[in-house]
Amino acid sequence: MKNHNIALGLEKAPLVLKNCNIVDVFNHRIEKNDIAINDHVIVGIGEYEGFLELDCKNMYVAPGFIDGHVHIESSMLTPCEFSKIVIPKGTTRVIADPHEITNVLGVKGIGYMFKSSIETPLKVHLMIPSCVPATKFENSGAEISNEDIYSLKNREGILGLGEVMDYPSVIHAEKYMMDKLKLMQDKIIDGHAPGVYGKELNAYLINHIKTDHECTNKDELLEKVSRGVYVHLREGSATRNVKDLAPGITKDNSRRLLLCTDDKHPMDIQKEGHINYNINLLIKEGIDPITAIQMATINIADCYQLKQVGAIAPGYAADLVIFDDLNNIQPSTVLIDGEIVVKNNETLFKTTSLNKGAVTNSVKLNPDDIDLTLTLKSDYVKVMKLIPNNVTTNKVMRNVDLENGVYVNNPNDDILKIAVIERHHYTKNIGIGLLEGYGIKNAAVAMTVAHDSHNLIVVGDNDKDMLIAAKTLHECDGGLCLVSNGIVIEKLPLEIAGLMTSKGYDYVREKLLKLDEEAHKLGVNKEVDDCFLSLAFMSLPVIPELKLTDLGLFDVIKFELVDLEGE
Amino acid sequence: MKNHNIALGLEKAPLVLKNCNIVDVFNHRIEKNDIAINDHVIVGIGEYEGFLELDCKNMYVAPGFIDGHVHIESSMLTPCEFSKIVIPKGTTRVIADPHEITNVLGVKGIGYMFKSSIETPLKVHLMIPSCVPATKFENSGAEISNEDIYSLKNREGILGLGEVMDYPSVIHAEKYMMDKLKLMQDKIIDGHAPGVYGKELNAYLINHIKTDHECTNKDELLEKVSRGVYVHLREGSATRNVKDLAPGITKDNSRRLLLCTDDKHPMDIQKEGHINYNINLLIKEGIDPITAIQMATINIADCYQLKQVGAIAPGYAADLVIFDDLNNIQPSTVLIDGEIVVKNNETLFKTTSLNKGAVTNSVKLNPDDIDLTLTLKSDYVKVMKLIPNNVTTNKVMRNVDLENGVYVNNPNDDILKIAVIERHHYTKNIGIGLLEGYGIKNAAVAMTVAHDSHNLIVVGDNDKDMLIAAKTLHECDGGLCLVSNGIVIEKLPLEIAGLMTSKGYDYVREKLLKLDEEAHKLGVNKEVDDCFLSLAFMSLPVIPELKLTDLGLFDVIKFELVDLEGE
């Protein structure tokens, strides 16, 4: 009754935004008007009076931005702390795939992300990670079975199935994958099909996979759109596709295009922006600002069937972003559910810390079990060659020094020992390989962020520092650390699943800057922008060419574990 | 597995459409390619081989057209017979509101429409009629309570709640209406808000009403679209809005626009077309053909959240329409679920007749109870003035002839007696009024199609013919009939709920032509296009100005029953 009376102008609204330039994503125009809000919801657009009136002084008011696909864990922040850096950038809602924490903790990880997201105004929808573990050539902390998926699919907060990365299994209709997709036919299924075209794309899509965020060029975008795919234009930290995809956008196909970040480093979010950065990039590429805003609002709501979301209209969620320049969107005020959560760039909301007991103590290994000795039958070996700022590696053949059949570091050859130590099940598994092009001296770096199984990865020129680095992360429940000459130079504990800290952005930023600065001082290749992030994908066995898991060296092209020795 | 092998080109498809000009509703372009089909579904677009190949010779292939809002009963045909006239026009799916049969038979009527629609290839989604009866000032055959709605909402075939016509109750938040809308918040809710603007529109929409098919001008369309409404552009028999709305269509807002017929006479369908006629009208008004096709396909699928429908893409339903002229769409071949149902204009599908026992015998009155004597206290009375080819009437004041206080027809004054006889519950209710501008002599017409309660309506210049007409309809279980000088000139029995015949289109056409021709010969105003349809809305008490129900004369402006005598 109250909503109706307010809508009719018979009662004052609790809150009215006066003098707005409303971004109308339906008619694609700007409408000068007031917005009346009551009880989380927009109840009227027109001339209204409110008990509280916020004069927008002809600033633009847009629907809150939505990140269509994000792994929150990549920010190293909890959902609460993540929300503190993205809400001020205008992001009011995210579709999150908790793939990382689920690789460590399984269903418990999904539960943690769900519960955490209740403690923040940021609206978090979850997709069930579809490919945990990513391959059978590694040990992750948990598996997500089809039974798990079945038991989760109708739970609150769950929208559908997360990115189906194992696209060969889909294309070739492997039974376990068909069963999984069938299970989720009535929900949204996110895709992940880099460079899949033509008949393989047809085969990938027939089981109702609805989205893709791996397009890297205009032609790929156009073909996928034609085949019914909603295409995410991704701008993360390591993967930056917006500029390359912009030429594929037309007035006619833009309704099928969405924006996402996928994986974005917290310092990049703070510096560049979040989804507003994708929008601003598109505007710079000549895309109409309202078209770009549609991709971050109503288009995502349409694709993910979010009701009464993504637009400014009666009955819609009062998630609103206010800014003064339509061509370079820097929000100054943000509302979520009708509450002013950011006002004139000042954050007004608080979040509650969740008891994190259940998601800590995830580094399950005995440091005394770690033996980094690398015995080789030949000195002619396969080496992973790091490509700076890239998630792929090259496979190169090198001669290395041996002493009694055991590898020893040669300070002149730019090759380091790298190890992936299983840290979920006390298996004592250690995969040991060699890495070229990283370049640290008298030191080691280690981290428990190591995609996708998130074992403990450690790189160094001497076993002593490597062992101290591994022990240090064991003691602090995971994280990032740098050790030199037996001394822990710096560390960032990530006690939640070894992936996230419950501390805030400022703490993380300080630690990351110090870690990176000191690592570079200790000789890490200057071309490498981020000394730690660049190692996090060395263990991901679905991205070419040569990778390392806890089971050993993995040739991604052959898709099998291989010996170091020989070609 | 088979679908994947076909998609990959490893196995031949059972059916391939070769050399298609595919209407790509996603990228808004024409793509030359083949379409491979297996097991109801499109499995591939590309170069394919099939066991059966249909050479489309560069004709256009579009997704099957959808009628976004239709009352099938208005065709006087069962869903099976209706499908035989609309499928050849390219309509492969309809969103039907069985409002008419439900007013007669309640939940049983919905069940009949659902079961009938299984017997035809036409895909029929049903909305639960929301306003049965339309008002409390009349007796319909049944009521649909909120309990009924609750028990129906999750049944197979049900999409949501049908057009919420009682917009004043929504705007003013009357409790029974709020309860009804709350009940259906998780489903689609269709709207019906003619001429509702501004704050009243806001109040109408806050409870998630999603569509409207009552727009009559560009400004109304633009405002409703801005407020989040999906707007249907309707082209029925009596209500023709497409041309007036076309100027409101832009490249940017067209995704929020849909096409529908609402109520369309079977002869108009046969002559003009069905949804393809709406498309062709838009093209004539300068709208791009693909934009118009989107409004009949993917836009409706988006609005009603129909999965894998409304486009030509892998995994989508193989509902396809083939035609040679993109600027005047006259389908020659139609596929539904991958079956060729129309080929080179020849209908290939058969339908099964349903046992109609449960939906006949709906004319429940005793003819001997009918007394058409109209006693008046004054000769100065309110008269309903028929406006040719319009569903509204004017209220006019006239002096009429009385004999001993009883109305008698004056052959010189163009005024006829009109009666609405309750025919659902043996109540013996008869509402009697006077109608100007219809003009029959020595005759009577009667029909059981009388919106929305579908009582028996009869008009004539003498009681004897009127009584015979009523008795005739009682005997044949409802329908239309014409009586003159005591003789039944012609009748069309509509034995299903008094609304539909189980016979086919040709029979209905012959009867309707004869009825109309004879009625005109007997003096019906030449300006009246359809002697029967024009009477069907005389009993609808929600459309101005003066109407007649079984409870008596109804002043729609005052929204109350009134006496005939005096102003």
Side-chain angles (χ1 to χ4, degrees):
Chain A
M1 194 67 195
K2 192 173 169 65
N3 271 350
H4 288 255
N5 282 343
I6 294 169
L8 291 168
L10 303 174
E11 281 185 42
K12 269 190 180 184
L15 173 63
V16 172
L17 307 189
K18 300 288 290 182
N19 307 311
C20 309
N21 268 314
I22 298 172
V23 178
D24 170 359
V25 294
F26 295 124
N27 269 318
H28 197 281
R29 62 182 182 180
I30 301 297
E31 176 180 348
K32 282 190 188 296
N33 230 328
D34 304 336
I35 302 170
I37 294 166
N38 182 48
D39 194 20
H40 310 305
V41 165
I42 296 162
V43 292
I45 296 159
E47 210 171 303
Y48 284 100
E49 287 179 21
F51 288 105
L52 177 64
E53 294 188 349
L54 187 69
D55 186 353
C56 291
K57 296 176 183 163
N58 295 314
M59 290 211 288
Y60 294 94
V61 184
F65 304 141
I66 307 171
D67 188 341
H69 174 71
V70 59
H71 305 289
I72 293 175
E73 303 96 308
S74 293
S75 71
M76 291 176 266
L77 300 170
T78 61
C80 286
E81 296 302 324
F82 172 78
S83 73
K84 288 180 188 162
I85 61 171
V86 302
I87 290 175
K89 304 296 185 187
T91 303
T92 57
R93 186 181 296 261
V94 301
I95 295 169
D97 181 345
H99 178 73
E100 315 309 339
I101 194 171
T102 305
N103 261 286
V104 178
L105 298 172
V107 172
K108 193 164 69 176
I110 301 173
Y112 170 77
M113 295 303 272
F114 174 69
K115 281 183 228 145
S116 303
S117 64
I118 295 173
E119 308 298 324
T120 155
L122 184 74
K123 292 171 179 172
V124 180
H125 301 279
L126 294 173
M127 306 298 280
I128 305 169
S130 67
C131 301
V132 177
T135 71
K136 59 184 177 180
F137 301 102
E138 62 194 308
N139 284 290
S140 60
E143 288 186 21
I144 294 293
S145 66
N146 288 357
E147 288 69 31
D148 291 329
I149 291 173
Y150 184 77
S151 76
L152 285 167
K153 65 177 274 197
N154 291 315
R155 285 209 200 154
E156 198 191 334
I158 299 287
L159 268 191
L161 190 66
E163 50 178 323
V164 183
M165 294 183 290
D166 186 1
Y167 56 88
S169 294
V170 181
I171 291 169
H172 300 292
E174 287 188 20
K175 190 182 173 304
Y176 84 97
M177 181 56 82
M178 292 301 101
D179 290 345
K180 191 179 308 213
L181 294 177
K182 244 178 235 153
L183 211 57
M184 295 298 280
Q185 290 294 288
D186 55 337
K187 301 281 173 182
I188 314 292
I189 304 178
D190 272 331
H192 164 118
V196 176
Y197 292 93
K199 289 179 176 170
E200 296 207 327
L201 180 60
N202 291 337
Y204 183 69
L205 295 174
I206 44 180
N207 295 96
H208 305 189
I209 292 175
K210 195 170 183 181
T211 71
D212 182 72
H213 53 264
E214 296 290 336
C215 283
T216 55
N217 64 72
K218 174 188 164 180
D219 290 338
E220 188 175 0
L221 176 143
L222 290 176
E223 181 173 339
K224 284 180 175 167
V225 168
S226 270
R227 299 301 173 256
V229 177
Y230 276 94
V231 171
H232 289 267
L233 284 70
R234 172 175 62 182
E235 193 73 14
S237 284
T239 44
R240 295 176 173 271
N241 309 122
V242 166
K243 201 176 161 183
D244 295 336
L245 296 176
I249 303 170
T250 68
K251 274 256 179 224
D252 290 309
N253 70 15
S254 68
R255 65 192 271 192
R256 307 290 295 185
L257 304 179
L258 320 173
L259 302 182
C260 80
T261 60
D262 203 355
D263 295 287
K264 194 158 183 174
H265 200 278
M267 284 160 65
D268 289 339
I269 294 173
Q270 194 71 346
K271 196 174 73 185
E272 300 172 344
H274 193 234
I275 286 298
N276 67 320
Y277 182 66
N278 300 46
I279 297 172
N280 289 336
L281 278 179
L282 286 173
I283 295 169
K284 269 190 205 146
E285 294 300 311
I287 304 303
D288 178 282
I290 300 178
T291 302
I293 290 170
Q294 287 176 317
M295 295 183 203
T297 58
I298 189 66
N299 297 6
I300 296 180
D302 278 355
C303 171
Y304 289 92
Q305 302 192 343
L306 307 174
K307 287 195 163 195
Q308 312 293 121
V309 161
I312 298 176
Y316 277 59
D319 303 338
L320 300 165
V321 179
I322 305 176
F323 49 88
D324 62 1
D325 184 353
L326 189 60
N327 289 301
N328 178 21
I329 295 172
Q330 305 297 343
S332 55
T333 297
V334 180
L335 288 86
I336 297 182
D337 275 343
E339 296 286 322
I340 302 172
V341 288
V342 176
K343 189 170 180 180
N344 300 328
N345 299 304
E346 192 194 340
T347 298
L348 301 182
F349 68 94
K350 296 232 180 307
T351 61
T352 320
S353 285
L354 210 65
N355 184 325
K356 61 190 178 187
V359 290
T360 53
N361 290 315
S362 72
V363 183
K364 293 178 180 166
L365 56 82
N366 184 346
D368 298 335
D369 291 338
I370 302 172
D371 178 358
L372 296 171
T373 307
L374 175 57
T375 308
L376 292 169
K377 294 189 195 91
S378 155
D379 65 353
Y380 185 62
V381 293
K382 305 177 190 80
V383 170
M384 301 158 61
K385 185 170 166 66
L386 184 135
I387 306 170
N389 312 318
N390 206 307
V391 295
T392 61
T393 65
N394 285 336
K395 171 184 163 188
V396 293
M397 298 305 301
R398 296 288 183 257
N399 286 300
V400 292
D401 294 351
L402 300 187
E403 274 176 19
N404 302 322
V406 171
Y407 165 82
V408 289
N409 179 268
N410 174 343
N412 302 316
D413 69 2
D414 194 25
I415 291 174
L416 301 172
K417 191 183 281 182
I418 176 168
V420 172
I421 304 167
E422 196 280 324
R423 61 117 169 160
H424 304 295
H425 307 292
Y426 298 101
T427 60
K428 304 184 189 176
N429 289 342
I430 303 181
I432 303 180
L434 296 166
L435 179 70
E436 183 173 298
Y438 186 70
I440 206 163
K441 296 281 178 196
N442 304 315
V445 296
M447 60 201 290
T448 50
V449 178
H451 293 274
D452 282 345
S453 288
H454 301 297
N455 285 307
L456 193 159
I457 195 167
V458 56
V459 174
D461 68 340
N462 69 88
D463 288 4
K464 191 184 150 210
D465 284 344
M466 289 173 79
L467 281 169
I468 294 172
K471 276 187 193 169
T472 302
L473 291 189
H474 175 255
E475 281 160 15
C476 69
D477 268 356
L480 280 51
C481 82
L482 172 65
V483 173
S484 180
N485 290 320
I487 293 164
V488 178
I489 306 293
E490 184 56 283
K491 67 180 178 196
L492 168 60
L494 298 173
E495 75 283 3
I496 297 170
L499 300 171
M500 294 175 278
T501 170
S502 61
K503 293 202 169 67
Y505 169 74
D506 290 337
Y507 172 83
V508 171
R509 177 176 178 276
E510 187 197 317
K511 293 290 183 186
L512 287 176
L513 283 174
K514 180 84 184 296
L515 280 163
D516 198 63
E517 187 189 342
E518 296 296 329
H520 270 123
K521 274 188 202 162
L522 288 164
V524 172
N525 185 345
K526 279 178 191 149
E527 286 180 45
V528 170
D529 284 340
D530 185 314
C531 300
F532 287 80
L533 191 61
S534 62
L535 294 179
F537 294 91
M538 293 301 109
S539 52
L540 184 59
V542 293
I543 294 185
E545 208 167 54
L546 204 57
K547 293 293 171 77
L548 184 71
T549 80
D550 65 308
L551 299 179
L553 197 63
F554 191 76
D555 184 318
V556 182
I557 309 300
K558 294 179 178 164
F559 218 70
E560 62 184 25
L561 291 163
V562 291
D563 290 332
L564 268 74
E565 298 94 338
E567 289 203 60
Chain B
M1 193 69 193
K2 192 174 169 65
N3 270 349
H4 288 255
N5 283 344
I6 295 169
L8 291 168
L10 304 173
E11 281 185 43
K12 269 192 180 182
L15 174 62
V16 172
L17 306 190
K18 299 287 292 182
N19 308 311
C20 309
N21 268 314
I22 298 172
V23 178
D24 170 358
V25 294
F26 296 125
N27 270 318
H28 197 280
R29 61 183 183 181
I30 301 297
E31 177 180 347
K32 282 190 186 298
N33 230 329
D34 303 337
I35 302 171
I37 294 166
N38 182 49
D39 193 21
H40 311 304
V41 164
I42 296 162
V43 293
I45 296 159
E47 210 171 300
Y48 284 100
E49 286 180 19
F51 288 104
L52 177 64
E53 294 187 351
L54 187 69
D55 187 352
C56 291
K57 296 175 181 164
N58 296 315
M59 289 211 288
Y60 294 94
V61 183
F65 304 141
I66 308 171
D67 188 340
H69 173 73
V70 59
H71 305 289
I72 293 174
E73 303 96 308
S74 293
S75 70
M76 291 177 266
L77 300 170
T78 62
C80 286
E81 297 301 325
F82 172 78
S83 72
K84 288 179 189 164
I85 60 170
V86 302
I87 290 175
K89 304 297 184 186
T91 303
T92 59
R93 186 181 295 262
V94 300
I95 295 168
D97 181 344
H99 178 74
E100 315 310 338
I101 193 171
T102 306
N103 260 286
V104 178
L105 298 171
V107 172
K108 194 165 68 176
I110 301 173
Y112 170 77
M113 295 303 273
F114 174 69
K115 280 182 229 146
S116 304
S117 64
I118 295 172
E119 308 298 325
T120 157
L122 184 73
K123 292 172 178 172
V124 180
H125 301 278
L126 294 173
M127 306 297 281
I128 306 169
S130 67
C131 301
V132 177
T135 70
K136 58 184 178 181
F137 301 103
E138 61 195 310
N139 283 290
S140 60
E143 288 185 21
I144 294 293
S145 66
N146 288 356
E147 288 69 31
D148 292 329
I149 291 173
Y150 184 77
S151 76
L152 286 166
K153 64 177 275 197
N154 291 316
R155 284 209 201 156
E156 199 190 333
I158 298 288
L159 269 191
L161 191 65
E163 50 178 322
V164 183
M165 294 183 290
D166 186 1
Y167 55 86
S169 294
V170 181
I171 291 169
H172 300 293
E174 287 187 20
K175 188 179 175 308
Y176 85 97
M177 180 57 81
M178 293 300 101
D179 290 346
K180 190 178 310 211
L181 295 176
K182 246 179 233 153
L183 211 56
M184 296 298 279
Q185 290 294 287
D186 55 337
K187 301 281 173 181
I188 314 291
I189 304 177
D190 272 331
H192 164 118
V196 176
Y197 291 93
K199 290 179 177 170
E200 295 208 329
L201 180 60
N202 291 337
Y204 184 69
L205 295 174
I206 43 180
N207 297 95
H208 305 189
I209 292 175
K210 195 170 182 181
T211 71
D212 182 72
H213 52 264
E214 296 290 337
C215 284
T216 54
N217 65 71
K218 176 187 162 178
D219 291 339
E220 188 175 359
L221 177 144
L222 290 176
E223 180 172 340
K224 284 180 175 166
V225 167
S226 270
R227 298 300 174 258
V229 176
Y230 276 94
V231 171
H232 288 267
L233 283 69
R234 172 175 61 181
E235 192 74 14
S237 284
T239 43
R240 295 177 173 271
N241 310 123
V242 166
K243 203 176 160 184
D244 295 336
L245 297 176
I249 302 171
T250 68
K251 273 256 179 227
D252 291 309
N253 70 15
S254 68
R255 66 192 272 193
R256 306 290 296 185
L257 304 179
L258 320 172
L259 302 182
C260 80
T261 60
D262 203 355
D263 295 287
K264 194 158 183 175
H265 200 276
M267 284 160 63
D268 289 338
I269 295 173
Q270 194 71 343
K271 195 175 71 185
E272 301 170 346
H274 195 232
I275 285 299
N276 66 321
Y277 182 65
N278 300 46
I279 296 172
N280 290 337
L281 277 179
L282 285 173
I283 295 168
K284 270 191 205 145
E285 295 300 312
I287 304 302
D288 179 282
I290 300 179
T291 302
I293 290 171
Q294 287 176 318
M295 294 183 204
T297 57
I298 190 66
N299 297 5
I300 294 179
D302 277 356
C303 172
Y304 289 92
Q305 303 193 340
L306 307 174
K307 287 196 164 194
Q308 312 293 121
V309 161
I312 298 177
Y316 276 59
D319 303 338
L320 300 165
V321 180
I322 305 175
F323 49 90
D324 62 1
D325 184 354
L326 189 59
N327 289 301
N328 177 21
I329 295 172
Q330 305 297 343
S332 55
T333 296
V334 180
L335 288 86
I336 298 183
D337 275 342
E339 296 287 323
I340 302 172
V341 288
V342 176
K343 189 171 181 181
N344 300 328
N345 299 304
E346 192 194 339
T347 298
L348 301 180
F349 68 94
K350 296 234 180 304
T351 61
T352 321
S353 285
L354 211 65
N355 184 324
K356 61 189 178 186
V359 290
T360 53
N361 291 313
S362 72
V363 182
K364 294 179 180 166
L365 56 81
N366 185 346
D368 299 334
D369 291 338
I370 302 172
D371 178 358
L372 295 172
T373 308
L374 174 57
T375 309
L376 293 169
K377 294 189 196 94
S378 154
D379 64 354
Y380 185 62
V381 293
K382 303 177 190 81
V383 171
M384 300 157 62
K385 187 172 165 65
L386 185 135
I387 307 170
N389 311 318
N390 206 308
V391 295
T392 59
T393 66
N394 286 335
K395 171 182 161 188
V396 293
M397 298 306 300
R398 296 287 183 257
N399 286 300
V400 292
D401 292 352
L402 300 187
E403 273 177 17
N404 301 322
V406 171
Y407 166 81
V408 290
N409 180 267
N410 175 341
N412 303 315
D413 69 1
D414 194 26
I415 292 174
L416 301 172
K417 192 183 281 180
I418 177 168
V420 172
I421 304 167
E422 196 280 324
R423 61 116 170 162
H424 305 295
H425 307 291
Y426 299 101
T427 60
K428 305 183 189 178
N429 289 343
I430 304 181
I432 303 179
L434 296 166
L435 179 70
E436 182 173 299
Y438 187 70
I440 206 162
K441 296 281 179 198
N442 304 314
V445 296
M447 59 200 291
T448 51
V449 178
H451 293 273
D452 281 348
S453 289
H454 301 297
N455 284 307
L456 194 159
I457 195 165
V458 55
V459 175
D461 69 338
N462 69 88
D463 288 4
K464 192 183 149 206
D465 285 342
M466 289 173 79
L467 280 170
I468 293 172
K471 274 186 192 169
T472 303
L473 291 188
H474 175 255
E475 280 159 17
C476 69
D477 268 355
L480 281 51
C481 82
L482 173 64
V483 175
S484 180
N485 290 319
I487 294 166
V488 178
I489 305 293
E490 184 57 282
K491 67 180 177 196
L492 167 60
L494 299 172
E495 74 283 4
I496 296 170
L499 300 171
M500 295 174 278
T501 170
S502 61
K503 294 203 168 68
Y505 168 74
D506 289 338
Y507 172 83
V508 170
R509 177 177 177 275
E510 187 197 318
K511 292 291 184 186
L512 287 177
L513 283 175
K514 179 82 183 298
L515 280 163
D516 199 62
E517 187 189 339
E518 296 296 330
H520 270 121
K521 275 188 203 164
L522 288 164
V524 172
N525 185 346
K526 280 178 190 148
E527 287 179 45
V528 170
D529 284 342
D530 185 313
C531 300
F532 287 80
L533 191 61
S534 62
L535 293 179
F537 294 92
M538 293 301 108
S539 52
L540 184 59
V542 294
I543 294 184
E545 213 168 48
L546 205 56
K547 293 292 172 78
L548 184 71
T549 80
D550 65 307
L551 298 179
L553 196 63
F554 190 76
D555 184 319
V556 183
I557 310 301
K558 293 180 178 164
F559 218 70
E560 62 184 26
L561 292 162
V562 290
D563 290 331
L564 268 72
E565 298 93 339
E567 288 203 62

